[in-house]
Amino acid sequence: MKVLVPVKRVIDYNVKVRVKSDGSGVDLANVKMSMNPFDEIAVEEAIRLKEAGKADEVIVVSIGVKQAQETLRTALAMGADRAILVIAADDVHQDIEPLAVAKILKAVVEAEGPGLVIAGKQAIDNDMNATGQMLSALLGWSQGTFASELDVDGDTAVITREVDGGLQTIKIKMPAIVTADLRLNEPRYASLPNIMKAKKKPLDEKTAADFGVDVTPRLEIVKTTEPAARSAGIKVGSVDELVAKLKEVGAV
Amino acid sequence: MLLTHEHNELRRTVTRWVEDEINPHIDEWEAAGIFPAHEVFKSLGDRGLLGVHKPEKFGGMGLDFSFAAVMAEALAAIKAGGVPMAIGAQTDMCTPALAQHGSDALREEFLRPAIAGEYVGCIGVSEPGGGSDVAALKTTARKDGDDYVINGTKLWITNGTQADFCCLLANTGDGPIHQNKSLIIVPMKTKGVEVTKKITKIGMNSSDTAQIFFDDVRVPQRNRIGEENKGFIYQMQQFQYERLWCALNAAAVFQRAIDITVDYTKERKAFGRSLSDNQWIGFKLAEMQTEVEALNALNWKGVEMVVAGQDATKVATMAKLMAGKLSRTLPDGCLQFWGGMGYSDESEISRLYRDARLTAIGGGADEVMLQILTKYMGIFGSNH
């Protein structure tokens, strides 16, 4: 079985995000970019399936600007076998929306024939949480979202999902789309020999046009603003005073 | 120098390794005055991180020195200077000469396990009678049959209590002081090697520092690195790596000092506003940032020269000197803004302040760097 893992190049989680002065979005020029952390978890899960003998090949795919090849190299260094880069934008500020990504992924799935797609549950840049679900709908495949455990067994997969108030276990038919939640695994970091080997692994370059997908945005960003600065706290002298203050602001 | 994606990935891997494997234990190791070198080095060896610029033939990665430089910087994420220093001693202080001039048999026996992280190494240059004055060393290695018989004392030996081998500089001839020394690999379990208890220091607490006595220690002559009586020259070449490593690591440590101080002064309120809102503090931090940038420029000029196969001794000496000078002012300047917290053991800056001070002494004191530089300038005292 082949496993396909889509990975997105996003602003590094450690970077303090700055809103562009015209409010059109977040400033990404000369900012450190990395693989979306949820996608890293998805890559790790796919590699573990391969190591467990349940998958033969791990293919990673990224859709976006040319620089996303670095993100793919990171996945290759972790242990993915080969990569596909779909160039869909020239400007780092152009986000490819979930529907366009899902359509391209559908075409990649049809070309590559994987039995399983593992994606991050969402990208940390815009938190859409939609691509996996849309891809499932377009392909007519089962979906197991927010997976914190995945057990693939022949024609079925058992998935533990993190839902409000607890864990839900579902059994779905393969082929399937699974989206990774934070606790699915702890992704490995590459050894230096693997970092160097990743340079030589195959990386195919395509464009969105190759798949006949129009990536023109359907959403219009009206405004982007910084979160309000945290207002100053107050010191209280006793528990009674604390309770009184909490009541005052309606917190208890 | 333009760094590649692979350089960035190396930095990321080292940083993650530090966060996962080292920083959670660092306070414990600082308190114990030692860290488990074999365990830590094995973990590095498994990730290919101990032989970054060592020959592939002996298990290294065969990359150029710029990758080792990135690693030296990335190790500054460790929240104590002792552990990165111990790692640097292994990768860039006690093994460069072995890697460059050692026989295949010697490299198979000592370099391969050092790269794999199975052996811990130390460098034996300094002595009670002189450290930076390398030419005045008293330790002797006398020929006897196929062996050397070694007598002498080495002092301030990083990794000394845990090491499996020592790359020892000893007198092997009666010629002029620069032409009578050899580098010899001495297995530390050899009869006659006696390691005294750890030396306590003002900083670098997680690194063990030893005094080592050699009393009629017999090692085969094939343990000599390269040619006899070329040891001083080899050591000078080896110092080039050591000094660049020190300067690169120090620059990244200084950057951490600035970063944590910026965070602290933003957070800390005094007289109704953040400390960082005071122009004096902002100006001082900006000045320090400029100093780090200048040091980095010097460091990377040295790295580029090494990568290009040029002799970087002069630039490496300047970089080490500048790092040493800054180690006496920059952490101090940062600590000042932490107030009482900076003087307490509970703050990250106080340990950094203590640890950094060694930069001006270890690997050749600032004054030795100055002496070397006066030779380059043709103004070295005529009595020498």
Side-chain angles (χ1 to χ4, degrees), chain B residues 11 14-15 17-18 22-23 40 44 49-50 68-81 83-88 91-92 245 248-249 252-253 256:
Chain B
R11 194 184 300 278
V14 175
T15 310
W17 176 80
V18 167
I22 303 302
N23 280 345
V40 168
L44 279 169
L49 297 173
L50 287 178
V70 164
M71 178 157 162
E73 291 181 344
L75 287 172
I78 299 178
K79 291 185 177 180
V83 177
M85 176 173 70
I87 297 167
T91 58
D92 291 276
W245 190 95
L248 286 156
N249 183 256
V253 168
R256 179 158 63 85

PDB file of all heavy atoms in Angstrom, chain B residues 11 14-15 17-18 22-23 40 44 49-50 68-81 83-88 91-92 245 248-249 252-253 256:
ATOM      1  N   ARG B  11      20.720  22.437  11.882  1.00  0.00           N
ATOM      2  CA  ARG B  11      20.472  23.322  13.026  1.00  0.00           C
ATOM      3  C   ARG B  11      19.186  22.888  13.750  1.00  0.00           C
ATOM      4  O   ARG B  11      19.113  22.836  14.970  1.00  0.00           O
ATOM      5  CB  ARG B  11      20.352  24.770  12.541  1.00  0.00           C
ATOM      6  CG  ARG B  11      20.424  25.800  13.664  1.00  0.00           C
ATOM      7  CD  ARG B  11      20.198  27.213  13.146  1.00  0.00           C
ATOM      8  NE  ARG B  11      21.144  27.682  12.159  1.00  0.00           N
ATOM      9  CZ  ARG B  11      22.355  28.182  12.438  1.00  0.00           C
ATOM     10  NH1 ARG B  11      22.744  28.279  13.677  1.00  0.00           N
ATOM     11  NH2 ARG B  11      23.148  28.586  11.480  1.00  0.00           N
ATOM     12  N   VAL B  14      19.758  19.581  15.664  1.00  0.00           N
ATOM     13  CA  VAL B  14      20.536  19.767  16.898  1.00  0.00           C
ATOM     14  C   VAL B  14      19.677  20.464  17.955  1.00  0.00           C
ATOM     15  O   VAL B  14      19.670  20.072  19.129  1.00  0.00           O
ATOM     16  CB  VAL B  14      21.833  20.573  16.623  1.00  0.00           C
ATOM     17  CG1 VAL B  14      22.559  20.870  17.925  1.00  0.00           C
ATOM     18  CG2 VAL B  14      22.751  19.801  15.678  1.00  0.00           C
ATOM     19  N   THR B  15      18.921  21.470  17.538  1.00  0.00           N
ATOM     20  CA  THR B  15      18.085  22.205  18.487  1.00  0.00           C
ATOM     21  C   THR B  15      17.031  21.287  19.112  1.00  0.00           C
ATOM     22  O   THR B  15      16.806  21.313  20.326  1.00  0.00           O
ATOM     23  CB  THR B  15      17.403  23.399  17.782  1.00  0.00           C
ATOM     24  OG1 THR B  15      18.400  24.129  17.075  1.00  0.00           O
ATOM     25  CG2 THR B  15      16.718  24.312  18.772  1.00  0.00           C
ATOM     26  N   TRP B  17      17.221  18.069  19.369  1.00  0.00           N
ATOM     27  CA  TRP B  17      17.934  17.105  20.220  1.00  0.00           C
ATOM     28  C   TRP B  17      18.220  17.738  21.588  1.00  0.00           C
ATOM     29  O   TRP B  17      18.019  17.112  22.630  1.00  0.00           O
ATOM     30  CB  TRP B  17      19.235  16.672  19.526  1.00  0.00           C
ATOM     31  CG  TRP B  17      20.098  15.755  20.332  1.00  0.00           C
ATOM     32  CD1 TRP B  17      19.943  14.409  20.501  1.00  0.00           C
ATOM     33  CD2 TRP B  17      21.241  16.129  21.106  1.00  0.00           C
ATOM     34  NE1 TRP B  17      20.919  13.923  21.322  1.00  0.00           N
ATOM     35  CE2 TRP B  17      21.737  14.948  21.717  1.00  0.00           C
ATOM     36  CE3 TRP B  17      21.904  17.328  21.351  1.00  0.00           C
ATOM     37  CZ2 TRP B  17      22.859  14.947  22.540  1.00  0.00           C
ATOM     38  CZ3 TRP B  17      23.025  17.328  22.185  1.00  0.00           C
ATOM     39  CH2 TRP B  17      23.487  16.157  22.762  1.00  0.00           C
ATOM     40  N   VAL B  18      18.655  18.985  21.565  1.00  0.00           N
ATOM     41  CA  VAL B  18      18.950  19.694  22.819  1.00  0.00           C
ATOM     42  C   VAL B  18      17.685  19.802  23.672  1.00  0.00           C
ATOM     43  O   VAL B  18      17.695  19.526  24.880  1.00  0.00           O
ATOM     44  CB  VAL B  18      19.529  21.096  22.525  1.00  0.00           C
ATOM     45  CG1 VAL B  18      19.546  21.956  23.783  1.00  0.00           C
ATOM     46  CG2 VAL B  18      20.927  20.986  21.937  1.00  0.00           C
ATOM     47  N   ILE B  22      18.659  16.965  26.282  1.00  0.00           N
ATOM     48  CA  ILE B  22      19.663  17.600  27.142  1.00  0.00           C
ATOM     49  C   ILE B  22      19.051  18.564  28.167  1.00  0.00           C
ATOM     50  O   ILE B  22      19.227  18.385  29.379  1.00  0.00           O
ATOM     51  CB  ILE B  22      20.710  18.348  26.290  1.00  0.00           C
ATOM     52  CG1 ILE B  22      21.378  17.379  25.298  1.00  0.00           C
ATOM     53  CG2 ILE B  22      21.761  19.015  27.163  1.00  0.00           C
ATOM     54  CD1 ILE B  22      22.068  16.194  25.939  1.00  0.00           C
ATOM     55  N   ASN B  23      18.322  19.561  27.684  1.00  0.00           N
ATOM     56  CA  ASN B  23      17.838  20.583  28.619  1.00  0.00           C
ATOM     57  C   ASN B  23      16.986  20.044  29.772  1.00  0.00           C
ATOM     58  O   ASN B  23      17.064  20.586  30.881  1.00  0.00           O
ATOM     59  CB  ASN B  23      17.121  21.705  27.858  1.00  0.00           C
ATOM     60  CG  ASN B  23      18.125  22.678  27.245  1.00  0.00           C
ATOM     61  OD1 ASN B  23      19.308  22.668  27.610  1.00  0.00           O
ATOM     62  ND2 ASN B  23      17.677  23.504  26.318  1.00  0.00           N
ATOM     63  N   VAL B  40      25.403  10.640  26.414  1.00  0.00           N
ATOM     64  CA  VAL B  40      25.111  11.803  25.567  1.00  0.00           C
ATOM     65  C   VAL B  40      25.831  11.683  24.214  1.00  0.00           C
ATOM     66  O   VAL B  40      25.253  11.953  23.159  1.00  0.00           O
ATOM     67  CB  VAL B  40      25.513  13.109  26.287  1.00  0.00           C
ATOM     68  CG1 VAL B  40      25.491  14.300  25.348  1.00  0.00           C
ATOM     69  CG2 VAL B  40      24.587  13.364  27.479  1.00  0.00           C
ATOM     70  N   LEU B  44      24.411  11.422  20.309  1.00  0.00           N
ATOM     71  CA  LEU B  44      24.864  12.284  19.203  1.00  0.00           C
ATOM     72  C   LEU B  44      25.407  11.448  18.052  1.00  0.00           C
ATOM     73  O   LEU B  44      25.125  11.708  16.886  1.00  0.00           O
ATOM     74  CB  LEU B  44      25.981  13.215  19.692  1.00  0.00           C
ATOM     75  CG  LEU B  44      25.587  14.465  20.453  1.00  0.00           C
ATOM     76  CD1 LEU B  44      26.830  15.089  21.077  1.00  0.00           C
ATOM     77  CD2 LEU B  44      24.892  15.468  19.552  1.00  0.00           C
ATOM     78  N   LEU B  49      26.155  13.120  14.447  1.00  0.00           N
ATOM     79  CA  LEU B  49      26.508  14.499  14.788  1.00  0.00           C
ATOM     80  C   LEU B  49      27.916  14.665  15.376  1.00  0.00           C
ATOM     81  O   LEU B  49      28.328  15.769  15.681  1.00  0.00           O
ATOM     82  CB  LEU B  49      25.468  15.065  15.764  1.00  0.00           C
ATOM     83  CG  LEU B  49      24.052  15.168  15.185  1.00  0.00           C
ATOM     84  CD1 LEU B  49      23.060  15.566  16.270  1.00  0.00           C
ATOM     85  CD2 LEU B  49      24.006  16.170  14.033  1.00  0.00           C
ATOM     86  N   LEU B  50      28.651  13.561  15.520  1.00  0.00           N
ATOM     87  CA  LEU B  50      29.999  13.705  16.088  1.00  0.00           C
ATOM     88  C   LEU B  50      31.094  13.689  15.018  1.00  0.00           C
ATOM     89  O   LEU B  50      32.257  13.923  15.324  1.00  0.00           O
ATOM     90  CB  LEU B  50      30.267  12.602  17.126  1.00  0.00           C
ATOM     91  CG  LEU B  50      29.537  12.746  18.468  1.00  0.00           C
ATOM     92  CD1 LEU B  50      29.850  11.564  19.364  1.00  0.00           C
ATOM     93  CD2 LEU B  50      29.895  14.038  19.168  1.00  0.00           C
ATOM     94  N   ALA B  68      29.986  21.896  10.620  1.00  0.00           N
ATOM     95  CA  ALA B  68      30.446  21.824  12.008  1.00  0.00           C
ATOM     96  C   ALA B  68      30.225  23.164  12.707  1.00  0.00           C
ATOM     97  O   ALA B  68      29.887  23.223  13.891  1.00  0.00           O
ATOM     98  CB  ALA B  68      31.921  21.440  12.041  1.00  0.00           C
ATOM     99  N   ALA B  69      30.389  24.243  11.941  1.00  0.00           N
ATOM    100  CA  ALA B  69      30.186  25.588  12.489  1.00  0.00           C
ATOM    101  C   ALA B  69      28.723  25.784  12.891  1.00  0.00           C
ATOM    102  O   ALA B  69      28.432  26.328  13.963  1.00  0.00           O
ATOM    103  CB  ALA B  69      30.596  26.637  11.458  1.00  0.00           C
ATOM    104  N   VAL B  70      27.828  25.322  12.048  1.00  0.00           N
ATOM    105  CA  VAL B  70      26.399  25.427  12.368  1.00  0.00           C
ATOM    106  C   VAL B  70      26.088  24.638  13.634  1.00  0.00           C
ATOM    107  O   VAL B  70      25.344  25.083  14.507  1.00  0.00           O
ATOM    108  CB  VAL B  70      25.536  24.938  11.179  1.00  0.00           C
ATOM    109  CG1 VAL B  70      24.106  24.664  11.608  1.00  0.00           C
ATOM    110  CG2 VAL B  70      25.572  25.956  10.049  1.00  0.00           C
ATOM    111  N   MET B  71      26.722  23.480  13.747  1.00  0.00           N
ATOM    112  CA  MET B  71      26.480  22.670  14.945  1.00  0.00           C
ATOM    113  C   MET B  71      27.020  23.360  16.195  1.00  0.00           C
ATOM    114  O   MET B  71      26.362  23.362  17.238  1.00  0.00           O
ATOM    115  CB  MET B  71      27.104  21.287  14.783  1.00  0.00           C
ATOM    116  CG  MET B  71      26.898  20.457  16.023  1.00  0.00           C
ATOM    117  SD  MET B  71      26.987  18.699  15.741  1.00  0.00           S
ATOM    118  CE  MET B  71      27.244  18.168  17.441  1.00  0.00           C
ATOM    119  N   ALA B  72      28.204  23.963  16.076  1.00  0.00           N
ATOM    120  CA  ALA B  72      28.782  24.686  17.222  1.00  0.00           C
ATOM    121  C   ALA B  72      27.827  25.782  17.688  1.00  0.00           C
ATOM    122  O   ALA B  72      27.660  26.016  18.885  1.00  0.00           O
ATOM    123  CB  ALA B  72      30.136  25.280  16.843  1.00  0.00           C
ATOM    124  N   GLU B  73      27.196  26.450  16.731  1.00  0.00           N
ATOM    125  CA  GLU B  73      26.227  27.495  17.091  1.00  0.00           C
ATOM    126  C   GLU B  73      24.970  26.901  17.713  1.00  0.00           C
ATOM    127  O   GLU B  73      24.467  27.386  18.730  1.00  0.00           O
ATOM    128  CB  GLU B  73      25.845  28.297  15.834  1.00  0.00           C
ATOM    129  CG  GLU B  73      26.968  29.162  15.299  1.00  0.00           C
ATOM    130  CD  GLU B  73      26.545  29.967  14.061  1.00  0.00           C
ATOM    131  OE1 GLU B  73      25.512  29.641  13.441  1.00  0.00           O
ATOM    132  OE2 GLU B  73      27.264  30.910  13.721  1.00  0.00           O
ATOM    133  N   ALA B  74      24.476  25.826  17.078  1.00  0.00           N
ATOM    134  CA  ALA B  74      23.203  25.254  17.535  1.00  0.00           C
ATOM    135  C   ALA B  74      23.309  24.697  18.953  1.00  0.00           C
ATOM    136  O   ALA B  74      22.334  24.712  19.707  1.00  0.00           O
ATOM    137  CB  ALA B  74      22.744  24.164  16.572  1.00  0.00           C
ATOM    138  N   LEU B  75      24.516  24.236  19.333  1.00  0.00           N
ATOM    139  CA  LEU B  75      24.690  23.672  20.675  1.00  0.00           C
ATOM    140  C   LEU B  75      24.537  24.732  21.773  1.00  0.00           C
ATOM    141  O   LEU B  75      24.393  24.402  22.942  1.00  0.00           O
ATOM    142  CB  LEU B  75      26.050  22.981  20.797  1.00  0.00           C
ATOM    143  CG  LEU B  75      26.184  21.650  20.057  1.00  0.00           C
ATOM    144  CD1 LEU B  75      27.629  21.168  20.093  1.00  0.00           C
ATOM    145  CD2 LEU B  75      25.264  20.581  20.646  1.00  0.00           C
ATOM    146  N   ALA B  76      24.565  25.995  21.380  1.00  0.00           N
ATOM    147  CA  ALA B  76      24.384  27.075  22.357  1.00  0.00           C
ATOM    148  C   ALA B  76      22.972  27.076  22.935  1.00  0.00           C
ATOM    149  O   ALA B  76      22.706  27.772  23.912  1.00  0.00           O
ATOM    150  CB  ALA B  76      24.701  28.426  21.727  1.00  0.00           C
ATOM    151  N   ALA B  77      22.080  26.285  22.362  1.00  0.00           N
ATOM    152  CA  ALA B  77      20.726  26.173  22.925  1.00  0.00           C
ATOM    153  C   ALA B  77      20.746  25.415  24.250  1.00  0.00           C
ATOM    154  O   ALA B  77      19.788  25.475  25.019  1.00  0.00           O
ATOM    155  CB  ALA B  77      19.800  25.475  21.938  1.00  0.00           C
ATOM    156  N   ILE B  78      21.848  24.700  24.514  1.00  0.00           N
ATOM    157  CA  ILE B  78      21.972  23.991  25.789  1.00  0.00           C
ATOM    158  C   ILE B  78      22.097  25.026  26.905  1.00  0.00           C
ATOM    159  O   ILE B  78      22.916  25.935  26.825  1.00  0.00           O
ATOM    160  CB  ILE B  78      23.193  23.041  25.784  1.00  0.00           C
ATOM    161  CG1 ILE B  78      23.020  21.992  24.685  1.00  0.00           C
ATOM    162  CG2 ILE B  78      23.373  22.388  27.154  1.00  0.00           C
ATOM    163  CD1 ILE B  78      24.192  21.018  24.563  1.00  0.00           C
ATOM    164  N   LYS B  79      21.272  24.857  27.939  1.00  0.00           N
ATOM    165  CA  LYS B  79      21.209  25.887  28.970  1.00  0.00           C
ATOM    166  C   LYS B  79      22.300  25.744  30.027  1.00  0.00           C
ATOM    167  O   LYS B  79      22.057  25.895  31.227  1.00  0.00           O
ATOM    168  CB  LYS B  79      19.820  25.888  29.605  1.00  0.00           C
ATOM    169  CG  LYS B  79      18.777  26.387  28.609  1.00  0.00           C
ATOM    170  CD  LYS B  79      17.410  26.527  29.190  1.00  0.00           C
ATOM    171  CE  LYS B  79      16.470  27.095  28.121  1.00  0.00           C
ATOM    172  NZ  LYS B  79      15.131  27.263  28.627  1.00  0.00           N
ATOM    173  N   ALA B  80      23.501  25.391  29.589  1.00  0.00           N
ATOM    174  CA  ALA B  80      24.702  25.375  30.428  1.00  0.00           C
ATOM    175  C   ALA B  80      25.869  25.208  29.474  1.00  0.00           C
ATOM    176  O   ALA B  80      25.760  24.504  28.471  1.00  0.00           O
ATOM    177  CB  ALA B  80      24.663  24.222  31.418  1.00  0.00           C
ATOM    178  N   GLY B  81      26.980  25.858  29.793  1.00  0.00           N
ATOM    179  CA  GLY B  81      28.112  25.815  28.867  1.00  0.00           C
ATOM    180  C   GLY B  81      28.914  24.518  28.910  1.00  0.00           C
ATOM    181  O   GLY B  81      29.616  24.187  27.968  1.00  0.00           O
ATOM    182  N   VAL B  83      28.205  21.229  28.848  1.00  0.00           N
ATOM    183  CA  VAL B  83      27.935  20.125  27.919  1.00  0.00           C
ATOM    184  C   VAL B  83      28.385  20.460  26.487  1.00  0.00           C
ATOM    185  O   VAL B  83      29.083  19.659  25.865  1.00  0.00           O
ATOM    186  CB  VAL B  83      26.453  19.686  28.001  1.00  0.00           C
ATOM    187  CG1 VAL B  83      26.152  18.598  26.979  1.00  0.00           C
ATOM    188  CG2 VAL B  83      26.131  19.190  29.417  1.00  0.00           C
ATOM    189  N   PRO B  84      28.008  21.632  25.950  1.00  0.00           N
ATOM    190  CA  PRO B  84      28.529  21.951  24.618  1.00  0.00           C
ATOM    191  C   PRO B  84      30.055  21.975  24.571  1.00  0.00           C
ATOM    192  O   PRO B  84      30.651  21.548  23.580  1.00  0.00           O
ATOM    193  CB  PRO B  84      27.953  23.338  24.305  1.00  0.00           C
ATOM    194  CG  PRO B  84      27.255  23.795  25.516  1.00  0.00           C
ATOM    195  CD  PRO B  84      27.030  22.628  26.399  1.00  0.00           C
ATOM    196  N   MET B  85      30.697  22.446  25.637  1.00  0.00           N
ATOM    197  CA  MET B  85      32.162  22.463  25.654  1.00  0.00           C
ATOM    198  C   MET B  85      32.714  21.043  25.565  1.00  0.00           C
ATOM    199  O   MET B  85      33.672  20.782  24.827  1.00  0.00           O
ATOM    200  CB  MET B  85      32.672  23.142  26.929  1.00  0.00           C
ATOM    201  CG  MET B  85      34.195  23.116  27.055  1.00  0.00           C
ATOM    202  SD  MET B  85      34.800  24.073  28.448  1.00  0.00           S
ATOM    203  CE  MET B  85      34.255  23.081  29.834  1.00  0.00           C
ATOM    204  N   ALA B  86      32.089  20.123  26.294  1.00  0.00           N
ATOM    205  CA  ALA B  86      32.537  18.729  26.268  1.00  0.00           C
ATOM    206  C   ALA B  86      32.363  18.134  24.870  1.00  0.00           C
ATOM    207  O   ALA B  86      33.213  17.373  24.398  1.00  0.00           O
ATOM    208  CB  ALA B  86      31.740  17.917  27.291  1.00  0.00           C
ATOM    209  N   ILE B  87      31.272  18.498  24.219  1.00  0.00           N
ATOM    210  CA  ILE B  87      31.023  18.003  22.856  1.00  0.00           C
ATOM    211  C   ILE B  87      32.047  18.613  21.895  1.00  0.00           C
ATOM    212  O   ILE B  87      32.621  17.926  21.050  1.00  0.00           O
ATOM    213  CB  ILE B  87      29.578  18.333  22.411  1.00  0.00           C
ATOM    214  CG1 ILE B  87      28.568  17.609  23.311  1.00  0.00           C
ATOM    215  CG2 ILE B  87      29.360  17.947  20.943  1.00  0.00           C
ATOM    216  CD1 ILE B  87      27.134  18.109  23.170  1.00  0.00           C
ATOM    217  N   GLY B  88      32.302  19.904  22.063  1.00  0.00           N
ATOM    218  CA  GLY B  88      33.297  20.581  21.224  1.00  0.00           C
ATOM    219  C   GLY B  88      34.685  19.995  21.423  1.00  0.00           C
ATOM    220  O   GLY B  88      35.463  19.869  20.476  1.00  0.00           O
ATOM    221  N   THR B  91      34.663  16.873  19.248  1.00  0.00           N
ATOM    222  CA  THR B  91      34.577  17.007  17.789  1.00  0.00           C
ATOM    223  C   THR B  91      35.649  17.911  17.200  1.00  0.00           C
ATOM    224  O   THR B  91      36.097  17.679  16.080  1.00  0.00           O
ATOM    225  CB  THR B  91      33.200  17.572  17.371  1.00  0.00           C
ATOM    226  OG1 THR B  91      33.002  18.839  18.014  1.00  0.00           O
ATOM    227  CG2 THR B  91      32.074  16.633  17.754  1.00  0.00           C
ATOM    228  N   ASP B  92      36.047  18.949  17.938  1.00  0.00           N
ATOM    229  CA  ASP B  92      36.911  19.947  17.313  1.00  0.00           C
ATOM    230  C   ASP B  92      38.166  20.290  18.096  1.00  0.00           C
ATOM    231  O   ASP B  92      38.860  21.244  17.769  1.00  0.00           O
ATOM    232  CB  ASP B  92      36.096  21.212  17.017  1.00  0.00           C
ATOM    233  CG  ASP B  92      35.090  20.962  15.913  1.00  0.00           C
ATOM    234  OD1 ASP B  92      35.480  21.068  14.747  1.00  0.00           O
ATOM    235  OD2 ASP B  92      33.943  20.605  16.203  1.00  0.00           O
ATOM    236  N   TRP B 245      35.660  27.050  16.863  1.00  0.00           N
ATOM    237  CA  TRP B 245      34.522  26.420  17.552  1.00  0.00           C
ATOM    238  C   TRP B 245      34.119  27.270  18.756  1.00  0.00           C
ATOM    239  O   TRP B 245      32.938  27.568  18.950  1.00  0.00           O
ATOM    240  CB  TRP B 245      34.873  24.986  18.003  1.00  0.00           C
ATOM    241  CG  TRP B 245      33.674  24.236  18.488  1.00  0.00           C
ATOM    242  CD1 TRP B 245      32.889  23.393  17.762  1.00  0.00           C
ATOM    243  CD2 TRP B 245      33.089  24.306  19.800  1.00  0.00           C
ATOM    244  NE1 TRP B 245      31.849  22.929  18.535  1.00  0.00           N
ATOM    245  CE2 TRP B 245      31.944  23.469  19.785  1.00  0.00           C
ATOM    246  CE3 TRP B 245      33.399  24.982  20.974  1.00  0.00           C
ATOM    247  CZ2 TRP B 245      31.121  23.297  20.905  1.00  0.00           C
ATOM    248  CZ3 TRP B 245      32.578  24.823  22.084  1.00  0.00           C
ATOM    249  CH2 TRP B 245      31.460  23.987  22.046  1.00  0.00           C
ATOM    250  N   LEU B 248      32.452  30.545  17.614  1.00  0.00           N
ATOM    251  CA  LEU B 248      31.122  30.308  17.039  1.00  0.00           C
ATOM    252  C   LEU B 248      30.114  29.995  18.134  1.00  0.00           C
ATOM    253  O   LEU B 248      29.002  30.530  18.166  1.00  0.00           O
ATOM    254  CB  LEU B 248      31.180  29.127  16.059  1.00  0.00           C
ATOM    255  CG  LEU B 248      31.846  29.411  14.707  1.00  0.00           C
ATOM    256  CD1 LEU B 248      32.365  28.115  14.091  1.00  0.00           C
ATOM    257  CD2 LEU B 248      30.873  30.099  13.758  1.00  0.00           C
ATOM    258  N   ASN B 249      30.522  29.120  19.044  1.00  0.00           N
ATOM    259  CA  ASN B 249      29.625  28.750  20.135  1.00  0.00           C
ATOM    260  C   ASN B 249      29.362  29.952  21.039  1.00  0.00           C
ATOM    261  O   ASN B 249      28.225  30.212  21.432  1.00  0.00           O
ATOM    262  CB  ASN B 249      30.217  27.573  20.923  1.00  0.00           C
ATOM    263  CG  ASN B 249      29.297  27.092  22.022  1.00  0.00           C
ATOM    264  OD1 ASN B 249      29.525  27.363  23.197  1.00  0.00           O
ATOM    265  ND2 ASN B 249      28.237  26.382  21.661  1.00  0.00           N
ATOM    266  N   ALA B 252      26.843  32.416  19.628  1.00  0.00           N
ATOM    267  CA  ALA B 252      25.461  31.946  19.755  1.00  0.00           C
ATOM    268  C   ALA B 252      24.992  32.002  21.210  1.00  0.00           C
ATOM    269  O   ALA B 252      23.819  32.264  21.485  1.00  0.00           O
ATOM    270  CB  ALA B 252      25.334  30.535  19.188  1.00  0.00           C
ATOM    271  N   VAL B 253      25.924  31.781  22.136  1.00  0.00           N
ATOM    272  CA  VAL B 253      25.574  31.917  23.560  1.00  0.00           C
ATOM    273  C   VAL B 253      25.254  33.385  23.875  1.00  0.00           C
ATOM    274  O   VAL B 253      24.284  33.690  24.567  1.00  0.00           O
ATOM    275  CB  VAL B 253      26.717  31.401  24.468  1.00  0.00           C
ATOM    276  CG1 VAL B 253      26.498  31.810  25.920  1.00  0.00           C
ATOM    277  CG2 VAL B 253      26.849  29.884  24.362  1.00  0.00           C
ATOM    278  N   ARG B 256      21.899  34.179  22.780  1.00  0.00           N
ATOM    279  CA  ARG B 256      20.886  33.694  23.732  1.00  0.00           C
ATOM    280  C   ARG B 256      20.794  34.641  24.925  1.00  0.00           C
ATOM    281  O   ARG B 256      19.694  34.937  25.412  1.00  0.00           O
ATOM    282  CB  ARG B 256      21.228  32.268  24.191  1.00  0.00           C
ATOM    283  CG  ARG B 256      20.250  31.688  25.187  1.00  0.00           C
ATOM    284  CD  ARG B 256      20.299  30.157  25.216  1.00  0.00           C
ATOM    285  NE  ARG B 256      21.580  29.626  25.644  1.00  0.00           N
ATOM    286  CZ  ARG B 256      21.932  29.448  26.928  1.00  0.00           C
ATOM    287  NH1 ARG B 256      21.085  29.750  27.896  1.00  0.00           N
ATOM    288  NH2 ARG B 256      23.118  28.952  27.246  1.00  0.00           N
TER     289      ARG B 256
END
